[in-house]
Amino acid sequence: MLWFGTDKGLSKFGGSGQFFNLPAESGVPGNSIRSIHDAGDDGMWLATQQGLLLYDPTVDASQAASNKCVAFTTKDGLPSDEI
């Protein structure tokens, strides 16, 4: 499995030509993913132009998409939303 940060969000290549795209409705602050950091069992940190995102790909797909993502911005104490 490969993860890609793009100007159109987060994408995962799962093999067999299948791609998954993380939708904006899931809480992604901005679509442009600038950097990805593997946080082990805690998921992945994603740097965007509009904040920082902790994404948990292990959350069951049947749960609300917002359970997969926690966004952090200047409202949460970041010095800038642009990461």
Side-chain angles (χ1 to χ4, degrees):
M1 177 178 335
L2 295 173
W3 291 93
F4 301 91
T6 71
D7 287 339
K8 296 184 180 177
L10 180 67
S11 297
K12 173 180 77 172
F13 178 70
S16 302
Q18 297 177 339
F19 275 90
F20 163 80
N21 294 306
L22 184 65
E25 303 84 53
S26 62
V28 178
N31 281 333
S32 181
I33 307 295
R34 294 182 164 190
S35 180
I36 301 173
H37 173 74
D38 183 2
D41 291 341
D42 293 328
M44 293 182 287
W45 287 100
L46 308 173
T48 75
Q49 291 177 328
Q50 297 175 0
L52 194 58
L53 179 74
L54 180 58
Y55 172 67
D56 185 353
T58 64
V59 171
D60 189 308
S62 65
Q63 296 182 21
S66 60
N67 291 342
K68 289 181 164 264
C69 301
V70 178
F72 299 91
T73 65
T74 53
K75 293 177 185 176
D76 301 298
L78 291 178
S80 173
D81 284 340
E82 195 164 330
I83 307 295

